[in-house]
Amino acid sequence: AQSVTQLDSHVSVSEGTPVLLRCNYSSSYSPSLFWYVQHPNKGLQLLLKYTSAATLVKGINGFEAEFKKSETSFHLTKPSAHMSDAAEYFCVVSGRGGYNKLIFGAGTRLAVHP
Amino acid sequence: ETGVTQTPRHLVMGMTNKKSLKCEQHLGHNAMYWYKQSAKKPLELMFVYSLEERVENNSVPSRFSPECPNSSHLFLHLHTLQPEDSALYLCASSQTGTQDETQYFGPGTRLLVL
């Protein structure tokens, strides 16, 4: 069965410092992996996705994530945080099924301080 | 309109009311989803429609009734709800039968049951 664990429920950084949001996954086959972001009172927006091509994936707003099969990790990073990055971030793994089943992590709330 | 739209954005209803949530996707996708997002809980998949057929119903109470009249529209009919049903209801769509498993989300309907 597929599962995903976000290792931190809250992360707090200062503006201009690096961001690291950690995600581990479990899958019995080669999954697709996604990061979504949710700003307050908004829906989920796709940040980036890994689909078995390059292991370093670049997304929108300067975010990137690296797929590491040996560590079963897909951590999200950004070199320099902006105030507008404050939001909730979800790591997601694809599941099995006749449709595009997604399994969501519990989320990491990112706070950015001036 | 582009992407996935949802109406209304906010809804307050009493426990004896009947209301409907509407979702429309403008992406040409063939699958649509309803999710429930409650405070401090992971995102819960409620219903999935693929090619206008319901393919998943995750033990959702019968007071929630989905309807998918065509591949672009999805409704969630609500009746005799409970206060614990207050949540953000998110709609998503995707294209099944391809390598791309990405789901695209609407902005959500914030529901408050009094």
Side-chain angles (χ1 to χ4, degrees), chain B residues 23-36:
Chain B
C23 175
E24 185 173 0
Q25 59 95 3
H26 309 268
L27 300 168
H29 289 163
N30 59 11
M32 297 186 77
Y33 309 77
W34 279 118
Y35 288 88
K36 176 182 179 183

Side-chain angles (χ1 to χ4, degrees), chain A residues 29 31-32 34 36 38 41-46 49 51 88 90 94-95 98-102 104-106, chain B residues 9 33 35 37 42-43 45 48 50 55-56 88 90 94-97 100-107 110:
Chain A
Y29 63 99
S32 296
F34 307 80
Y36 283 86
Q38 185 177 32
N41 300 311
K42 296 288 177 69
L44 275 70
Q45 180 184 18
L46 179 68
K49 61 184 175 185
T51 54
E88 184 133 25
F90 294 93
S94 60
Y99 59 91
N100 302 344
K101 182 169 186 172
L102 298 182
F104 284 78
Chain B
R9 293 293 310 277
Y33 309 77
Y35 288 88
Q37 188 178 33
L43 209 64
L45 178 64
V48 181
S50 179
V55 297
E56 182 139 346
L88 181 68
L90 291 163
S94 73
Q95 183 66 20
T96 62
D100 186 359
E101 298 172 274
T102 306
Q103 290 182 22
Y104 295 87
F105 284 80
R110 175 74 60 187

Side-chain angles (χ1 to χ4, degrees), chain A:
Chain A
Q2 286 68 43
S3 67
V4 60
T5 303
Q6 292 184 243
L7 299 169
D8 307 291
S9 58
H10 292 84
V11 170
S12 182
V13 301
S14 298
E15 191 175 21
T17 64
V19 175
L20 170 64
L21 305 184
R22 299 181 296 163
C23 173
N24 286 350
Y25 72 92
S26 172
S27 179
S28 54
Y29 63 99
S30 295
S32 296
L33 291 157
F34 307 80
W35 277 97
Y36 283 86
V37 61
Q38 185 177 32
H39 288 93
N41 300 311
K42 296 288 177 69
L44 275 70
Q45 180 184 18
L46 179 68
L47 267 183
L48 50 82
K49 61 184 175 185
Y50 166 76
T51 54
S52 75
T55 56
L56 182 62
V57 182
K58 294 190 184 296
I60 61 172
N61 301 335
F63 284 94
E64 61 182 38
E66 187 170 7
F67 174 72
K68 291 187 176 180
K69 187 174 180 179
S70 60
E71 298 175 13
T72 60
S73 69
F74 191 57
H75 301 333
L76 182 70
T77 60
K78 183 173 179 177
S80 175
H82 294 165
M83 296 296 291
S84 60
D85 295 328
E88 184 133 25
Y89 292 79
F90 294 93
C91 183
V92 182
V93 65
S94 60
R96 287 280 197 198
Y99 59 91
N100 302 344
K101 182 169 186 172
L102 298 182
I103 296 158
F104 284 78
T108 298
R109 185 164 296 279
L110 175 66
V112 182
H113 302 287

Side-chain angles (χ1 to χ4, degrees), chain B residues 26-74:
Chain B
H26 309 268
L27 300 168
H29 289 163
N30 59 11
M32 297 186 77
Y33 309 77
W34 279 118
Y35 288 88
K36 176 182 179 183
Q37 188 178 33
S38 306
K40 302 185 181 178
K41 281 183 160 184
L43 209 64
E44 301 172 54
L45 178 64
M46 299 175 72
F47 300 105
V48 181
Y49 278 81
S50 179
L51 301 172
E52 300 158 43
E53 297 285 328
R54 192 189 310 180
V55 297
E56 182 139 346
N57 173 353
N58 269 350
S59 304
V60 179
S62 59
R63 57 186 184 268
F64 295 92
S65 174
E67 179 191 1
C68 185
N70 56 61
S71 60
S72 299
H73 293 87
L74 184 65

